[in-house]
Amino acid sequence: QKEVEQDPGPLSVPEGAIVSLNCTYSNSAFQYFMWYRQYSRKGPELLMYTYSSGNKEDGRFTAQVDKSSKYISLFIRDSQPSDSATYLCAMSRYGGSQGNLIFGKGTKLSVKP
Amino acid sequence: SQTIHQWPATLVQPVGSPLSLECTVEGTSNPNLYWYRQAAGRGLQLLFYSVGIGQISSEVPQNLSASRPQDRQFILSSKKLLLSDSGFYLCAWGLSRIDTQYFGPGTRLTVL
């Protein structure tokens, strides 16, 4: 079983839709959870960073962590064509600066105008 | 604010040629630095990380090496490139133990 599983998509939605992106993981020691957005031919950009279980909201983005189910989600409200990108989940035991970030393979999202 | 630079942005090299990719970080001191490779369908692979000048940890045995000659400079090298070295190379930095990693713009390497 892989440590982090993420559906690669592609996921295509109309503009204005609510998007749900998800990752599952197997290591119950993970405590820090991140979502990165990567545009084509660019480096990943940190979108959301959460610790332990719960929700975190930033504008149109909401990150949700359910440690009991080993499941994390990123919701995008009122999706825009500019949200079209690959979304990577990442997680770690210590917060990611110890060289131990585990990444999903990314979900490619396309928002159609 | 902190900024991370990588160069070159794109590179096409023949098999067997040497490689040198450079990464520099501005606006912070003593960052942890990382080199990743991203290949299509394979996700992000951590290659090297460094917690200080001259301190390099290798995650994947291969024909690549890394060096950190200055606090905010990280270099990825190879003496002889292989076809399998093609990919998108990303440098990243991070700070405290509860921080995360921030990525540079990347270098797209094609080995022919």
Side-chain angles (χ1 to χ4, degrees), chain B residues 32-107:
Chain B
N32 293 339
L33 296 172
Y34 309 85
W35 278 112
Y36 287 86
R37 178 169 56 206
Q38 188 176 37
R42 297 189 62 184
L44 279 164
Q45 179 186 32
L46 179 64
L47 302 175
F48 301 95
Y49 75 94
S50 170
V51 298
I53 296 174
Q55 301 177 64
I56 311 291
S57 296
S58 173
E59 294 294 310
V60 182
Q62 55 202 334
N63 68 320
L64 298 172
S65 62
S67 62
R68 184 169 178 174
Q70 300 181 43
D71 181 44
R72 291 170 290 176
Q73 184 185 31
F74 206 22
I75 296 172
L76 183 70
S77 304
S78 175
K79 292 181 180 178
K80 287 186 177 182
L81 283 168
L82 307 172
L83 285 173
S84 57
D85 291 324
S86 292
F88 192 42
Y89 287 83
L90 290 156
C91 181
W93 72 273
L95 279 180
S96 68
R97 190 175 182 186
I98 60 171
D99 203 354
T100 185
Q101 294 176 24
Y102 302 91
F103 287 86
T107 295

Side-chain angles (χ1 to χ4, degrees), chain A residues 27-86:
Chain A
N27 189 343
S28 58
F30 288 145
Q31 298 186 82
Y32 298 88
F33 303 92
M34 287 138 267
W35 286 96
Y36 289 84
R37 177 176 62 196
Q38 186 175 22
Y39 291 114
S40 181
R41 308 182 82 84
K42 303 291 185 184
E45 167 195 6
L46 180 66
L47 266 183
M48 302 290 279
Y49 178 59
T50 55
Y51 171 71
S52 194
S53 286
N55 292 0
K56 183 176 181 179
E57 189 173 319
D58 184 1
R60 296 184 295 110
F61 298 90
T62 300
Q64 198 171 78
V65 175
D66 182 349
K67 290 189 71 180
S68 62
S69 301
K70 298 191 184 70
Y71 188 88
I72 68 170
S73 300
L74 177 71
F75 298 97
I76 307 174
R77 291 183 299 281
D78 187 25
S79 56
Q80 304 295 309
S82 58
D83 296 326
S84 298
T86 297

Side-chain angles (χ1 to χ4, degrees), chain B residues 12-41:
Chain B
V12 180
Q13 291 285 91
V15 169
S17 64
L19 173 74
S20 181
L21 303 181
E22 190 165 340
C23 169
T24 58
V25 180
E26 295 177 355
T28 186
S29 296
N30 197 30
N32 293 339
L33 296 172
Y34 309 85
W35 278 112
Y36 287 86
R37 178 169 56 206
Q38 188 176 37

